[in-house]
Short mmCIF file of all heavy atoms in Angstrom, two decimals:
data_model
loop_
_atom_site.label_atom_id
_atom_site.label_comp_id
_atom_site.label_asym_id
_atom_site.label_seq_id
_atom_site.Cartn_x
_atom_site.Cartn_y
_atom_site.Cartn_z
N PRO A 62 154.43 164.67 91.83
CA PRO A 62 153.96 165.65 92.87
C PRO A 62 153.70 164.82 94.14
O PRO A 62 153.24 163.60 94.01
CB PRO A 62 152.71 166.22 92.24
CG PRO A 62 152.25 165.22 91.20
CD PRO A 62 153.53 164.60 90.70
N PRO A 132 125.86 169.08 81.37
CA PRO A 132 126.43 168.45 82.57
C PRO A 132 126.29 166.98 82.62
O PRO A 132 125.35 166.40 81.94
CB PRO A 132 125.54 169.13 83.63
CG PRO A 132 124.33 169.52 82.96
CD PRO A 132 124.74 169.87 81.59
N VAL A 146 145.27 154.67 90.14
CA VAL A 146 146.54 154.61 89.41
C VAL A 146 146.93 153.11 89.23
O VAL A 146 147.33 152.70 88.13
CB VAL A 146 147.59 155.40 90.16
CG1 VAL A 146 148.99 155.05 89.53
CG2 VAL A 146 147.28 156.84 90.01
N LYS A 260 139.89 140.21 120.04
CA LYS A 260 141.23 139.90 120.57
C LYS A 260 141.84 138.87 119.60
O LYS A 260 141.09 138.05 118.95
CB LYS A 260 141.17 139.33 121.88
CG LYS A 260 142.53 138.95 122.53
CD LYS A 260 142.38 138.45 123.94
CE LYS A 260 143.68 138.29 124.59
NZ LYS A 260 143.54 137.80 126.07
#
Side-chain angles (χ1 to χ4, degrees):
V146 166
K260 186 175 184 178

